[in-house]
Amino acid sequence: MNIQDYRNVMDQLKPAPSLEARIKEQLGQSSRRSHPRRLAGKIAVAVLAAACTFMAAMAVSPQLRAAVLTFFQLEETEQVPPPASAPVSSDPSVTQDLIAQQVEAQYIRLPGLSGYDYGNGVLFQAQRDDYGAILDFRYWAAEGDTLVPLETHTTDFTTTWDGITYTDTVYWCVYDGAISCYCNGRAGMAADADCVISSLPGSTDSVILRLSQGSQMDYRQYPVLLDLTTGEVTDLLGGTGWEKAAPVREVQWADDLSAAILSNDRMGWFYCDRTAKTTTHLDELTGLEVFSAYFANNTLILLTQSGPEGDCYDIWTWQPDSGVLTQTFSQLHIYRERDDNPYGFQFLFGSALGLYITPEGKLSVLDLCTGQETPVEGFSLTQWDSTFLPNPSGSKILFADYDYAADSLGIARLGVIDLTRGTFTVLDREGYDALDEGNLSWFDEDRVAIRSSQKDDYTECYLYLYQF
């Protein structure tokens, strides 16, 4: 991976500035001493968590179908494959394993510094020249023990916003009814301008381009719709009065693009109704002092701060069509890792789910839309140092436990809550420290991804996928 690939991937995973600030504030509350590489990895995980949920257009959480989630500790331990001694070929390859008859593992080898990465359930590779220009672009689907090549399409576009012209090529494919897409992000633009592309749930012909300019306090963004067939760019906010929220720092969409939430650090959160052509402050619409807001399908979830020191959350839902405001949870103590006995509400950024940890380490899953609380039977968080990461639809939640003695992330355990089945399954891992594990995320709705490389030799990388 060269610097252009790294920049493109990190830009697409970067959350909006206001959200990023809240993530950093939460990370900064930890009092534990972490290995520098561990700390960098955990920050990457937090950013991935935020990007994964927001780029999925705020997918709605499922109904929790079981009164209690059952905890399963698998008896068999995964033996992580050691680094290969010699290249098999210049193309990526995959081997498959079944662990304890419960977890399907796919071990993908990515040879060479050739721009491999993944997104929306597919693996891709951008091959570049010495100047960063893309020479070739390839997509694969990981099916069993085979990598299936996918047809790559290209769409060129040019558009102008706020005096800057944005010109680029989108490389995209359709797999399993969904689009995966990629663009350079800066081609033909000024130094302080950027363009990030994201797919739309249910669409196979259009994507959203997030045009941005400036950095830090001067950062601002604007969304447009790109037709992948014609290359036509459509203004999404024109005529809505969006300027009330300018400079816009964050945009979140309803599934059908009929409405958006606009925010900036100074004035808070605005509801933009594209059909009615109106933009109104959420405090005015709801009568609340909104701390955070996002879509779960076409319902808005609102957070307000409460408690004598503002150390609690109240959770609300607001129906834009009817104006109905409902409080689903109140006085949820905020979970802070730095506390001597941390407990309380753990927000899963962008998800309609939350976690509640008791002072004894007991765990429950909260459905923020319905107010339902579902405990996990037989599980205690006291022995875990966890990352909490929902999949794009909110039907599963990933837990990870780390080995502080490892040189890299050192992922010692993986656990997945499956809200549809009503289970929490945990897999122990051994041999992980033979590799330099760099990040952890969801590959798609069902598979967890761990990206790693050989220690002190980044010419050989690996992508390990786990389906619980």
Side-chain angles (χ1 to χ4, degrees):
M1 174 179 285
N2 63 21
I3 188 64
Q4 183 68 27
D5 292 302
Y6 176 81
R7 183 179 65 187
N8 183 77
V9 172
M10 293 310 298
D11 283 345
Q12 294 196 47
L13 295 176
K14 180 183 175 72
S18 58
L19 175 62
E20 184 177 21
R22 293 197 294 274
I23 295 172
K24 289 179 178 177
E25 192 273 334
Q26 291 290 332
L27 288 170
Q29 292 169 351
S30 176
S31 62
R32 300 181 181 179
R33 292 183 178 271
S34 298
H35 189 286
R37 295 176 71 183
R38 269 261 295 133
L39 179 59
K42 294 194 73 174
I43 292 174
V45 168
V47 174
L48 281 165
C52 175
T53 50
F54 276 99
M55 288 194 296
M58 308 309 135
V60 69
S61 70
Q63 292 294 322
L64 305 185
R65 298 183 181 180
V68 175
L69 295 167
T70 304
F71 179 72
F72 293 105
Q73 171 70 58
L74 299 182
E75 293 183 1
E76 185 176 337
T77 298
E78 178 200 14
Q79 301 298 320
V80 178
S85 58
V88 176
S89 72
S90 59
D91 288 327
S93 58
V94 59
T95 58
Q96 189 177 21
D97 190 17
L98 187 63
I99 306 169
Q101 301 299 311
Q102 294 286 116
V103 179
E104 181 183 286
Q106 295 166 289
Y107 303 114
I108 302 175
R109 191 177 184 192
L110 307 173
L113 294 172
S114 301
Y116 290 102
D117 220 288
Y118 60 93
N120 286 358
V122 296
L123 174 70
F124 62 80
Q125 180 194 34
Q127 294 182 331
R128 301 178 181 274
D129 62 20
D130 294 338
Y131 301 97
I134 294 179
L135 301 174
D136 190 24
F137 200 96
R138 298 190 291 173
Y139 282 105
W140 295 269
E143 298 181 352
D145 60 357
T146 304
L147 291 177
V148 179
L150 303 174
E151 182 179 3
T152 300
H153 307 272
T154 59
T155 301
D156 297 326
F157 72 87
T158 298
T159 189
T160 301
W161 174 59
D162 203 12
I164 292 180
T165 297
Y166 297 74
T167 300
D168 210 343
T169 298
V170 176
Y171 299 85
W172 57 280
C173 73
V174 177
Y175 176 69
D176 199 22
I179 283 181
S180 292
C181 48
Y182 180 98
C183 70
N184 270 336
R186 295 181 185 270
M189 305 169 204
D192 68 342
D194 201 354
C195 177
V196 174
I197 187 170
S198 59
S199 59
L200 288 168
S203 173
T204 57
D205 56 13
S206 298
V207 293
I208 287 182
L209 301 177
R210 188 183 75 204
L211 313 177
S212 68
Q213 297 178 25
S215 62
Q216 299 181 353
M217 296 303 297
D218 294 328
Y219 175 86
R220 60 200 181 277
Q221 64 171 266
Y222 194 83
V224 296
L225 189 70
L226 172 65
D227 187 309
L228 292 173
T229 302
T230 65
E232 180 181 356
V233 175
T234 302
D235 186 349
L236 288 172
L237 298 182
T240 64
W242 68 273
E243 293 86 353
K244 295 178 183 178
V248 174
R249 309 265 291 190
E250 182 176 339
V251 182
Q252 305 168 33
W253 290 101
D255 288 347
D256 58 3
L257 300 184
S258 63
I261 296 296
L262 313 178
S263 70
N264 66 43
D265 294 338
R266 182 171 59 88
M267 292 183 293
W269 305 81
F270 292 78
Y271 180 74
C272 176
D273 188 326
R274 293 186 63 233
T275 303
K277 300 293 184 182
T278 58
T279 298
T280 311
H281 202 289
L282 270 175
D283 289 7
E284 178 183 339
L285 289 171
T286 64
L288 303 173
E289 292 185 10
V290 177
F291 172 74
S292 186
Y294 60 93
F295 283 104
N297 198 5
N298 288 320
T299 297
L300 269 176
I301 294 180
L302 311 176
L303 275 70
T304 57
Q305 291 182 293
S306 60
E309 299 181 0
D311 57 352
C312 295
Y313 284 139
D314 292 342
I315 313 296
W316 310 76
T317 63
W318 182 64
Q319 304 289 342
D321 293 339
S322 64
V324 174
L325 182 68
T326 304
Q327 188 175 35
T328 56
F329 291 97
S330 65
Q331 297 288 306
L332 290 175
H333 185 272
I334 300 172
Y335 182 91
R336 288 190 172 93
E337 191 177 12
R338 68 180 179 184
D339 293 345
D340 292 336
N341 183 27
Y343 75 95
F345 175 66
Q346 177 76 35
F347 183 53
L348 301 176
F349 289 103
S351 172
L353 300 174
L355 300 176
Y356 191 83
I357 298 114
T358 70
E360 298 75 31
K362 301 300 182 183
L363 178 70
S364 293
V365 179
L366 308 184
D367 188 320
L368 306 184
C369 286
T370 67
Q372 182 176 353
E373 179 177 356
T374 304
V376 178
E377 187 178 59
F379 174 77
S380 175
L381 198 64
T382 56
Q383 302 301 315
W384 284 64
D385 174 40
S386 289
T387 291
F388 313 121
L389 181 58
N391 69 350
S393 70
S395 62
K396 297 181 180 181
I397 304 173
L398 167 65
F399 280 62
D401 193 26
Y402 302 97
D403 175 3
Y404 277 106
D407 293 331
S408 59
L409 276 182
I411 303 171
R413 283 189 288 183
L414 291 173
V416 170
I417 292 179
D418 188 323
L419 299 173
T420 303
R421 294 182 178 181
T423 59
F424 186 171
T425 305
V426 173
L427 171 68
D428 288 330
R429 306 176 74 232
E430 291 182 353
Y432 48 81
D433 204 25
L435 296 170
D436 189 355
E437 294 185 334
N439 59 41
L440 171 69
S441 67
W442 284 95
F443 183 77
D444 54 22
E445 283 291 322
D446 299 310
R447 287 177 288 184
V448 174
I450 296 175
R451 179 72 180 263
S452 61
S453 64
Q454 291 192 23
K455 290 187 175 182
D456 303 319
D457 180 5
Y458 296 95
T459 60
E460 193 80 359
C461 296
Y462 304 88
L463 180 65
Y464 291 169
L465 308 180
Y466 302 87
Q467 181 168 347
F468 284 71

Coordinates of all heavy atoms in Angstrom, one line a residue, residues 94 145 175 211 309 344 364 438 452:
V94 N -6.6 -17.7 -0.7 CA -7.4 -17.9 0.5 C -7.4 -19.4 0.9 O -7.5 -20.3 0.0 CB -8.9 -17.4 0.3 CG1 -9.6 -18.0 -0.8 CG2 -9.7 -17.5 1.6
D145 N -13.3 -21.1 0.0 CA -11.8 -21.1 -0.2 C -11.4 -20.5 -1.5 O -10.3 -20.8 -2.0 CB -11.3 -22.5 0.0 CG -11.8 -23.5 -1.0 OD1 -12.7 -23.1 -1.8 OD2 -11.4 -24.7 -1.1
Y175 N -22.0 -6.4 -6.0 CA -21.9 -7.8 -5.5 C -23.0 -8.0 -4.5 O -23.1 -7.2 -3.6 CB -20.5 -8.1 -4.9 CG -20.4 -9.4 -4.3 CD1 -20.4 -10.6 -5.0 CD2 -20.3 -9.6 -2.9 CE1 -20.3 -11.8 -4.5 CE2 -20.1 -10.8 -2.3 CZ -20.2 -11.9 -3.1 OH -20.1 -13.2 -2.5
L211 N -18.2 16.4 -0.7 CA -17.2 17.3 -1.1 C -16.8 18.1 0.1 O -17.7 18.5 0.9 CB -17.7 18.3 -2.2 CG -18.4 17.6 -3.4 CD1 -19.0 18.7 -4.3 CD2 -17.5 16.7 -4.1
E309 N -24.4 16.6 37.1 CA -23.2 17.0 36.5 C -23.1 16.8 35.0 O -22.1 16.7 34.4 CB -22.0 16.4 37.2 CG -21.9 16.7 38.6 CD -20.7 16.0 39.3 OE1 -20.0 15.3 38.6 OE2 -20.5 16.2 40.5
G344 N -22.3 1.7 33.4 CA -23.2 2.6 32.7 C -23.4 2.3 31.3 O -23.2 1.2 30.7
S364 N -26.1 -5.8 29.3 CA -27.4 -5.8 28.7 C -27.3 -5.0 27.3 O -26.5 -4.1 27.2 CB -28.5 -5.2 29.5 OG -28.8 -6.0 30.7
G438 N -3.0 -5.1 12.8 CA -3.1 -3.7 12.7 C -4.5 -3.1 13.0 O -4.6 -2.0 13.6
S452 N -3.5 -7.8 9.1 CA -2.2 -7.9 9.8 C -1.1 -8.0 8.7 O -1.4 -8.1 7.5 CB -2.2 -9.2 10.7 OG -2.4 -10.3 9.9

